[in-house]
Amino acid sequence: MYLGYCIIPFFTWLVTGCAKFTINCARERRLAFDLIGYGGMPSNHSAIVSSVAALVAFREGVNHPAFGVALGVAYIVMLDANSLRRQVGKQAEAIQLLAKQGAKQTPENFPVLRKRMGHSRLEILAGMVVGIGCAYCIHRLLG
């Protein structure tokens, strides 16, 4: 078994998470631990699935059935990151607005919902680039 398939998801997650944290800290001009999680630049989900698909392409070739499966999974994950999860974020905003407007109780009785859930196309593209780059590095390193 090729060890790269076991390493690539974790390695890509680590690289993307560090990049996202660094970008968030630079944007906010502080240590932005509160922004760790879903959403942001680059897309972690897109990076991970792209890295697996790219590694399959590098190792097995684009004509291998496993590449087709990996590409299909990557497409579904990236589509979800762009559309479904963005809608969840919009719903969170609407729920919080309704809670604030109609609250007869104090606002601290309502849980704060995370508004930033999905990704823009640019964040997804950046995730793809990071994922493919990570796959290339692991492929070259492990041969």
Side-chain angles (χ1 to χ4, degrees):
M1 181 181 147
Y2 178 65
L3 187 60
Y5 291 126
C6 296
I7 294 172
I8 196 64
F10 177 74
F11 177 72
T12 305
W13 169 79
L14 187 63
V15 168
T16 308
C18 290
K20 187 183 291 193
F21 181 71
T22 302
I23 290 168
N24 284 338
C25 289
R27 281 185 182 161
E28 297 291 319
R29 297 174 198 227
R30 64 180 175 85
L31 289 177
F33 290 107
D34 58 321
L35 296 178
I36 293 174
Y38 297 111
M41 171 75 84
S43 166
N44 217 331
H45 290 78
S46 300
I48 291 169
V49 294
S50 295
S51 71
V52 173
L55 191 58
V56 170
F58 293 145
R59 291 279 303 164
E60 314 298 335
V62 294
N63 292 326
H64 196 277
F67 178 68
V69 172
L71 199 58
V73 169
Y75 180 74
I76 290 169
V77 168
M78 288 185 266
L79 188 64
D80 175 66
N82 182 249
S83 60
L84 178 67
R85 287 183 34 223
R86 289 187 92 186
Q87 294 304 316
V88 169
K90 288 179 183 178
Q91 287 179 354
E93 284 183 39
I95 290 169
Q96 285 188 301
L97 181 65
L98 288 171
K100 286 179 184 176
Q101 290 175 347
K104 294 180 182 169
Q105 302 174 29
T106 58
E108 50 271 355
N109 290 340
F110 293 96
V112 176
L113 302 173
R114 189 177 184 99
K115 297 174 191 170
R116 184 71 169 114
M117 294 288 291
H119 291 285
S120 69
R121 289 185 178 114
L122 181 62
E123 292 167 345
I124 291 170
L125 179 64
M128 288 173 58
V129 169
V130 170
I132 293 168
C134 287
Y136 181 77
C137 291
I138 291 295
H139 175 68
R140 298 293 292 172
L141 182 68
L142 298 179

